[in-house]
């Protein structure tokens, strides 16, 4: 089996874990491996310099607008809420409209972002397909999240589709970081194991 097939199988396995509910927001703390945060205090970028899928200035602008809200939302139980940072980024790139992402355009944008990073191209291509499949399998939950009412003053409700895809992509890319890029230390291995199950802001 060549490296590309191994990467594809690993991506499909991670999507299986996500779809099977390893990452479920309303599990009790005892059952939820994400409840207490990462097992080590490290910036994921110290372990794997994951390339940006969306222009960095767009992401920074969206994080400044919705970062604090997103941190509050992650502590809420029940149906997962939409990530306004992700929706803001997809809006800014004209990839989102009326609860839908333009799949072909998103895939092209992601691959264009990898143009000078050949070690990431196969992984990003496979992860994009897998993350859209994951979103399709979770559409009932995604639509429920879009219909939620604000739970605190000033909360904006965003459609979850953008966050599901971008969060899935981030988890996939970190978990499958190419060996030539990954910092293979014990702490980084622990963080990668955590990152394969849990979103890291």
């Amino acid at each position: 089996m060549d490296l590309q097939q191994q990467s594809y199988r690993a991506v499909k396995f991670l999507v299986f874990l996500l779809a099977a509910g390893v990452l479920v927001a309303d599990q009790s703390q005892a059952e939820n491996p994400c409840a207490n945060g990462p097992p080590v205090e490290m910036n994921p970028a110290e372990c794997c310099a994951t390339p940006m899928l969306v222009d960095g200035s767009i992401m920074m602008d969206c994080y400044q607008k919705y970062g604090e809200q997103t941190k509050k939302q992650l502590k809420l139980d029940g149906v997962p809420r939409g990530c306004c940072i992700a929706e803001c980024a997809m809006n800014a790139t004209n990839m989102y409209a009326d609860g839908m992402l333009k799949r072909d355009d998103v895939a092209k944008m992601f691959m264009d972002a990898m143009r000078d990073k050949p070690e990431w191209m196969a992984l990003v291509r496979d992860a994009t397909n897998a993350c859209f499949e994951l979103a399709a399998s979770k559409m009932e939950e995604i639509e429920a999240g879009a219909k939620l009412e604000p739970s605190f003053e000033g909360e904006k409700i965003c459609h979850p589709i953008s966050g599901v895809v971008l969060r899935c992509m981030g988890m996939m890319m970190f978990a499958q970081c190419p060996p030539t890029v990954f910092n293979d230390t014990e702490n980084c291995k622990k963080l990668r194991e955590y990152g394969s199950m849990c979103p890291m802001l």
Side-chain angles (χ1 to χ4, degrees):
M1 186 187 301
D2 66 24
L3 197 59
Q4 189 170 330
Q5 285 178 307
Q6 287 177 336
S7 170
Y8 179 72
R9 284 195 171 184
V11 165
K12 294 298 283 185
F13 177 66
L14 284 169
V15 166
F16 166 76
L17 289 178
L18 289 170
V22 172
L23 175 61
V24 178
D26 58 356
Q27 288 176 321
S28 73
Q29 288 219 345
E31 296 172 347
N32 183 357
C34 308
N36 296 319
V40 292
E41 289 190 21
M42 288 186 77
N43 184 330
E46 293 177 61
C47 297
C48 178
T50 308
M52 298 289 287
L53 294 167
V54 181
D55 181 271
S57 62
I58 291 174
M59 292 305 297
M60 183 56 66
D61 181 55
C62 293
Y63 185 83
Q64 286 173 348
K65 286 179 183 172
Y66 299 111
E68 290 306 313
Q69 169 176 295
T70 300
K71 288 175 188 174
K72 287 183 187 176
Q73 289 173 324
L74 287 173
K75 295 175 183 173
L76 299 173
D77 291 331
V79 175
R81 306 177 100 70
C83 175
C84 289
I85 298 171
E87 182 172 293
C88 170
M90 292 293 100
N91 269 327
T93 52
N94 296 312
M95 297 292 162
Y96 170 82
D98 303 320
M100 296 288 290
L101 287 177
K102 301 171 186 173
R103 179 172 177 161
D104 291 345
D105 292 344
V106 170
K108 183 179 184 308
M109 178 176 72
F110 289 172
M111 291 307 290
D112 284 349
M114 299 303 116
R115 190 177 290 132
D116 300 324
K117 299 170 182 66
E119 69 276 21
W120 287 95
M121 293 187 84
L123 169 58
V124 167
R125 184 195 61 235
D126 293 343
T128 302
N129 290 329
C131 288
F132 272 97
E133 286 176 25
L134 173 73
S137 75
K138 289 183 166 284
M139 198 50 71
E140 192 173 311
E141 183 182 279
I142 287 170
E143 292 299 337
K147 294 171 185 167
L148 291 171
E149 295 293 325
S151 63
F152 53 84
E153 188 177 347
E155 181 186 16
K156 181 183 179 188
I157 300 299
C158 289
H159 195 287
I161 186 71
S162 301
V164 168
V165 171
L166 283 183
R167 189 168 285 155
C168 172
M169 289 296 296
M171 292 167 72
M172 295 285 173
M173 290 171 71
F174 186 76
Q176 290 297 305
C177 185
T180 54
V181 181
F182 188 68
N183 184 7
D184 199 22
T185 64
E186 275 308 306
N187 279 347
C188 285
K189 287 176 186 174
K190 288 177 185 176
L191 196 61
R192 179 161 64 180
E193 187 177 334
Y194 173 87
S196 69
M197 297 183 292
C198 310
M200 292 185 285
L201 276 177

